[in-house]
């Protein structure tokens, strides 16, 4: 039972980690949309630089660097979160496999104990039946002697 509860707890934890991963994937998709917006902004900044000349070009280049820095920061955070979640999933999978192994071992042990107990009870039943047969035979002998 304990192994089964641990397996269920591990399964629940694995489910939670998988939900975390799904949530992170949704956030990743949202971030990718933001990245697309950032890319669009970068393209717009480049067009403005070409149109207004050297002074405005310098400002656009600064904005582009800022956007690229934000983009790189977002990507790094998403990659770190992905690695973290993958690690949690792997840990949960290992724990689940261990709990399943423990449950299987416990079930086999219980089956073996039940089989041994059944053999003991059958042997006792057979001995009791033999004893009953002996008692009946003795009773018949006593009745024959008395009768």
């Amino acid at each position: 039972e304990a192994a089964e509860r641990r397996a269920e707890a591990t399964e629940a934890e694995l489910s939670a980690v998988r939900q975390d991963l799904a949530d992170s994937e949704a956030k990743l998709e949202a971030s990718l949309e933001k990245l697309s917006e950032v890319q669009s902004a970068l393209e717009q900044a480049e067009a403005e630089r070409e149109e207004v000349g050297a002074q405005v070009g310098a400002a656009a280049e600064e904005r582009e660097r800022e956007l690229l820095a934000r983009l790189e920061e977002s990507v790094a955070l998403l990659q770190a979160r992905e690695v973290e979640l993958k690690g949690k999933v792997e840990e949960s999978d290992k724990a689940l496999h261990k709990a399943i192994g423990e449950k299987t071992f416990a079930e086999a042990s219980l089956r073996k104990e039940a089989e041994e107990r059944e053999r003991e009870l059958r042997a006792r039943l057979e001995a009791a039946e033999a004893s009953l047969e002996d008692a009946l035979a003795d009773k018949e002998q006593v009745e024959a002697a008395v009768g």
Side-chain angles (χ1 to χ4, degrees):
E1 271 187 44
E4 189 171 340
R5 284 195 302 268
R6 284 194 303 273
E8 290 172 359
T10 303
E11 286 174 9
E13 180 182 343
L14 180 58
S15 177
V17 170
R18 285 189 176 138
Q19 182 60 46
D20 248 356
L21 183 57
D23 293 346
S24 290
E25 287 175 352
K27 288 179 184 175
L28 175 61
E29 289 179 20
S31 292
L32 289 175
E33 289 179 21
K34 287 181 184 178
L35 293 178
S36 176
E37 293 172 11
V38 168
Q39 181 64 34
S40 295
L42 288 174
E43 291 170 4
Q44 181 181 359
E46 188 172 299
E48 289 173 4
R49 184 184 67 209
E50 291 174 0
E51 290 176 14
V52 294
Q55 289 182 342
V56 174
E61 287 176 5
E62 180 61 29
R63 174 145 170 78
E64 185 176 329
R65 281 192 296 274
E66 289 173 7
L67 291 172
L68 282 173
R70 286 177 37 202
L71 174 65
E72 290 171 356
E73 182 181 333
S74 295
V75 168
L77 290 172
L78 289 171
Q79 288 172 338
R81 181 66 175 155
E82 180 183 16
V83 167
E84 176 186 338
L85 290 174
K86 283 182 181 180
K88 285 183 179 181
V89 167
E90 287 175 8
E91 288 176 22
S92 294
D93 281 346
K94 287 178 186 177
L96 177 61
H97 289 299
K98 181 180 178 184
I100 288 170
E102 289 173 357
K103 177 184 173 193
T104 302
F105 178 76
E107 287 172 347
S109 295
L110 288 174
R111 256 192 312 279
K112 184 178 177 183
E113 285 180 31
E115 289 168 359
E116 289 175 9
R117 180 74 175 142
E118 182 180 357
R119 280 193 294 276
E120 285 177 20
L121 292 174
R122 286 191 188 278
R124 287 175 55 193
L125 177 61
E126 289 172 7
E129 287 174 347
S131 177
L132 179 60
E133 288 174 10
D134 290 344
L136 288 174
D138 290 345
K139 177 184 174 192
E140 288 175 6
Q141 287 177 355
V142 167
E143 288 175 352
V146 170

